[in-house]
Amino acid sequence: MKRYKDSLDERQFFFPALIDDYHANLINGAYYTYEQSDWVQAVLARYPERRFGFHKSAFSARLGADAFASIESWIVSAKIDLGDFFRALNQDVAISQFHSAKLSMLNNVCIATAGDLHVHFPLDGFLKARVCQSFLGDEDQVLRLGWQRPLFSVTPTILSMREYEPINQTVSGHACLVHESGELIILTDSEEGWHHIFFESRALDMLETKQLGLQVADLSSGIDRALGVSGNHRSNWQSLDDEQFEALCYDLIYSHPGFDHETIRKMGHSRSRDGGRDIIVWTQPVAYREPSKKFVFQCKLITVDFH
């Protein structure tokens, strides 16, 4: 039995998910219970990835290259076609559903942004996976990685390189993809040849997105002050068209603390028969159990020539 158990990572299985469940329970259960025992230390010496909660997946043989699983993420060889990977895991996911994203840090939170989609990026999980990744290759690969490539830091050496652009330094050498649902993230380390796949990401909700916008606005104001740019901006109101005016009205109502921004809706069309679009929103209750009130705003742009 022991011989069979010790050779699990060399075998092929009809139900690899069961073997992965066994390893997940072993690593996150028995290893903690018997952490100081000789057999656990011997296993961890043989499989260093298990110190970080990963194990070689039983799907590896079926996929034709190494794939390592944990309860938080996967580390998958770049030799594996990601379409084949999702099909093997019985995931109804297509690569065409992923969009290129950029990572940014703001107020100690890491966000992956793809167009209008903003997703929580599990930075702690990625850093742990990246340490684990450094132990998956041969000894030369481990020594070569050596944490020499920066992720979110800028060193004097890097700043001295003329072709280097510090503002684009975030996660150097890693390409990020976000699924349109916001629930999947792929980060590819092309230099070392691994994909990091996170299954439990989450898109920011409306309140979090609003808070992110406020933080970005504060940051923008600080940058303006550092550059000596005046914060008093003049707007050419005469250049507004119908749609821009409606967007302005919508933003003002959305940002007003007296209204519940999650209830705001646009009704009608810009050039409807009555001359404007309606915006419907409900108030925030100001007292316990006081019912919300419905407000209807009609946006009509009237241009007056003062000349």
Side-chain angles (χ1 to χ4, degrees):
M1 180 63 182
K2 182 178 184 300
R3 183 184 305 171
Y4 180 79
K5 182 175 67 174
D6 291 343
S7 64
L8 287 179
D9 58 342
E10 302 169 0
R11 298 176 179 269
Q12 295 191 36
F13 300 91
F14 287 108
F15 302 103
L18 294 177
I19 304 302
D20 279 2
D21 287 344
Y22 163 76
H23 277 128
N25 289 325
L26 183 69
I27 293 171
N28 297 285
Y31 285 1
Y32 282 108
T33 304
Y34 304 101
E35 183 177 2
Q36 300 305 319
S37 63
D38 292 339
W39 74 270
V40 171
Q41 294 304 314
V43 170
L44 294 179
R46 181 181 177 186
Y47 304 105
E49 68 273 8
R50 298 187 183 182
R51 295 183 181 273
F52 308 97
F54 285 87
H55 66 272
K56 185 176 179 180
S57 171
F59 285 96
S60 296
R62 182 176 298 183
L63 292 169
D66 289 343
F68 296 84
S70 77
I71 60 175
E72 297 176 332
S73 66
W74 284 70
I75 305 174
V76 179
S77 170
K79 298 177 182 178
I80 297 174
D81 180 85
L82 291 177
D84 294 340
F85 171 77
F86 290 120
R87 282 189 290 272
L89 269 61
N90 198 30
Q91 298 286 324
D92 185 19
V93 176
I95 298 301
S96 60
Q97 297 170 333
F98 286 84
H99 305 283
S100 179
K102 293 183 178 180
L103 298 181
S104 57
M105 291 285 295
L106 190 63
N107 284 1
N108 299 321
V109 176
C110 191
I111 303 295
T113 301
D116 296 334
L117 182 64
H118 305 281
V119 178
H120 287 284
F121 180 79
L123 181 58
D124 289 344
F126 168 63
L127 294 178
K128 182 170 68 174
R130 187 170 183 259
V131 177
C132 179
Q133 171 196 313
S134 70
F135 287 90
L136 299 181
D138 54 32
E139 184 176 353
D140 289 340
Q141 184 183 29
V142 174
L143 294 175
R144 183 173 73 253
L145 184 60
W147 297 102
Q148 297 301 312
R149 289 183 297 135
L151 286 175
F152 293 96
S153 60
V154 178
T155 66
T157 301
I158 291 175
L159 288 174
S160 67
M161 300 169 62
R162 292 184 178 181
E163 69 275 14
Y164 187 78
E165 297 182 14
I167 199 68
N168 295 324
Q169 200 277 332
T170 306
V171 193
S172 176
H174 293 73
C176 183
L177 297 174
V178 173
H179 189 263
E180 58 191 20
S181 68
E183 297 177 356
L184 285 166
I185 295 178
I186 301 173
L187 200 66
T188 299
D189 184 343
S190 56
E191 183 172 333
E192 297 297 330
W194 295 98
H195 298 296
H196 295 270
I197 304 174
F198 303 91
F199 280 89
E200 296 185 355
S201 58
R202 179 179 64 81
L204 274 64
D205 59 29
M206 189 68 71
L207 187 60
E208 290 171 321
T209 303
K210 184 178 180 180
Q211 186 63 32
L212 177 64
L214 294 174
Q215 293 173 359
V216 171
D218 289 341
L219 177 61
S220 178
S221 298
I223 294 174
D224 285 347
R225 290 193 297 271
L227 294 173
V229 178
S230 173
N232 297 320
H233 302 288
R234 297 178 61 87
S235 299
N236 183 7
W237 299 105
Q238 295 295 321
S239 67
L240 283 178
D241 58 24
D242 293 341
E243 292 185 358
Q244 292 173 332
F245 179 71
E246 289 165 4
L248 175 62
C249 294
Y250 182 93
D251 290 343
L252 288 173
I253 298 169
Y254 178 92
S255 303
H256 195 287
F259 295 113
D260 181 358
H261 64 266
E262 294 188 357
T263 66
I264 190 169
R265 299 290 184 272
K266 293 181 180 180
M267 306 296 292
H269 300 282
S270 299
R271 295 175 176 84
S272 58
R273 184 174 301 175
D274 62 1
R277 165 174 279 172
D278 292 339
I279 297 177
I280 299 175
V281 68
W282 292 78
T283 60
Q284 294 274 19
V286 294
Y288 181 66
R289 289 186 177 179
E290 179 182 335
S292 297
K293 296 179 182 179
K294 180 180 179 180
F295 276 73
V296 179
F297 296 85
Q298 189 172 67
C299 305
K300 292 184 179 181
L301 176 63
I302 301 174
T303 303
V304 179
D305 188 358
F306 293 98
H307 300 287

